[in-house]
Amino acid sequence: MSATVFIDGAAGTTGLEIADRLAGRSEFALVALDEARRKDASARREALNEADFAILCLPDDAAREAVALIDPASKVRVIDASTAHRVAPGWVFGFPEVIGHSVVAEAKRVSNPGCYSTGFIALVAPLVRAGLLPADWPYTCNAVSGYSGGGKALIARFEDDTDIAWRGYALGLGHKHVPEMQDRCGLTLPPLFSPAVIPAHRGMVVEVPLPLAAMTGAGTPEAMREWLAAFYGASRIVRMGREPDAELLLRRSAEPGDALELHVFASADGSQARLVAVLDNLGKGASGAAVQSLNLMAGLDETAGLRL
């Protein structure tokens, strides 16, 4: 029998992409509310409590309200794609490659990682754990994303104003991904995060520059590259990239993808390095990650339905 899945917020960008990844899969049956009922609290309460799985694709406050609608005795297992529960007690962080596949598989409450923090955590957390990077360094993170990560309003803005070439934001240094970036990497200090949006629908590059000559106890770039390759092993989702000779590219025509590609670039003398993650902000950065967790929680191959 198919497991039932209710996507609360199915009309949003993340919800639509999750539904697309689940379309035609016999393991799951989507529970859908018609337009007249999808914002009705009683209808949502019923759907949330009766489904086998609920995936919340909602703003933070609405996600908290949805969780409050779930009865304590309900069988439903929840994946929250919002920021609301990423560092909350009782919630498992939905990054199985870093947290542990069995931990996600057995969880009742899973919080999807943020798109930017997926790249940062994938690069930094394993290296800090291995002692190849210090936990008390004041890290910086520079990143660019396609505009789809900003939701319907930002999508409309970029599609209406085609003259925007670059949009810097979170200039008050309070981006909502920073707490999970610090917490999940075990850092003493919050990273200084500089995100920006570019005129491409999807795609993301996350970079962590490392002045290794000033970092006491840091490993060599080669040791970092070797450890990341060993840490992620034969993963079909997280991969070490082939180091390009001259450039990395994001394309406006990029197709959906659920892989995460990691790079370690270094100066010839090894005194400086650039850790770089490339991903689809709507894939491993959102919808693909939710489906990966759903697969594990349902006892299925984690890559089922993913675009790899």
Side-chain angles (χ1 to χ4, degrees):
M1 180 179 293
S2 299
T4 54
V5 180
F6 173 54
I7 304 174
D8 197 0
T13 306
T14 300
L16 290 171
E17 292 235 346
I18 290 172
D20 190 49
R21 285 164 174 77
L22 298 181
R25 293 186 57 184
S26 60
E27 311 99 310
F28 300 111
L30 291 180
V31 176
L33 299 180
D34 59 34
E35 186 65 26
R37 300 173 69 231
R38 69 182 182 87
K39 293 186 178 182
D40 178 79
S42 60
R44 289 175 57 229
R45 180 190 293 275
E46 180 180 346
L48 284 165
N49 281 284
E50 293 187 359
D52 294 307
F53 298 96
I55 305 178
L56 310 181
C57 302
L58 303 165
D60 289 1
D61 287 344
R64 295 185 186 97
E65 292 169 1
V67 173
L69 293 174
I70 298 173
D71 299 330
S74 174
K75 65 178 180 179
V76 69
R77 301 170 72 187
V78 181
I79 299 170
D80 181 10
S82 82
T83 313
H85 299 103
R86 289 178 185 160
V87 293
W91 286 76
V92 167
F93 195 61
F95 200 152
E97 295 89 352
V98 174
I99 301 299
H101 287 75
S102 63
V103 176
V104 174
E106 295 167 7
K108 188 166 185 179
R109 300 284 186 267
V110 171
S111 182
N112 229 33
C115 50
Y116 290 116
S117 50
T118 292
F120 182 86
I121 292 166
L123 292 163
V124 175
L127 298 177
V128 171
R129 289 184 193 176
L132 293 171
L133 285 178
D136 59 354
W137 184 259
Y139 291 96
T140 61
C141 178
N142 309 303
V144 293
S145 173
Y147 55 77
S148 55
K152 290 183 178 180
L154 191 62
I155 291 172
R157 180 180 177 189
F158 266 81
E159 292 180 350
D160 291 342
D161 185 353
T162 57
D163 196 43
I164 298 175
W166 181 90
R167 173 184 178 262
Y169 71 108
L171 302 178
L173 305 183
H175 195 281
K176 63 183 183 179
H177 289 183
V178 170
E180 66 192 273
M181 293 162 74
Q182 179 181 3
D183 182 80
R184 301 301 175 177
C185 293
L187 303 180
T188 304
L189 302 168
L192 197 162
F193 181 38
S194 301
V197 179
I198 57 173
H201 183 74
R202 65 174 71 238
M204 173 172 283
V205 175
V206 179
E207 177 177 352
V208 183
L210 301 175
L212 293 175
M215 300 174 72
T216 302
T220 65
E222 186 58 33
M224 294 181 191
R225 188 179 295 112
E226 290 178 357
W227 177 248
L228 288 173
F231 184 86
Y232 293 108
S235 172
R236 289 172 286 170
I237 297 173
V238 183
R239 314 163 180 168
M240 295 303 296
R242 296 179 180 178
E243 309 308 345
D245 293 331
E247 61 185 5
L248 289 174
L249 297 174
L250 293 180
R251 295 191 177 277
R252 290 190 175 94
S253 59
E255 294 293 324
D258 296 317
L260 170 61
E261 185 175 279
L262 306 180
H263 299 268
V264 179
F265 302 110
S267 58
D269 63 0
S271 65
Q272 297 178 319
R274 298 169 64 182
L275 307 180
V276 180
V278 183
L279 64 154
D280 179 354
N281 58 292
L282 294 179
K284 180 61 169 169
S287 304
V291 172
Q292 180 186 2
S293 291
L294 176 65
N295 285 333
L296 289 170
M297 294 164 76
L300 304 171
D301 183 332
E302 66 176 326
T303 65
L306 299 186
R307 286 82 180 269
L308 301 173

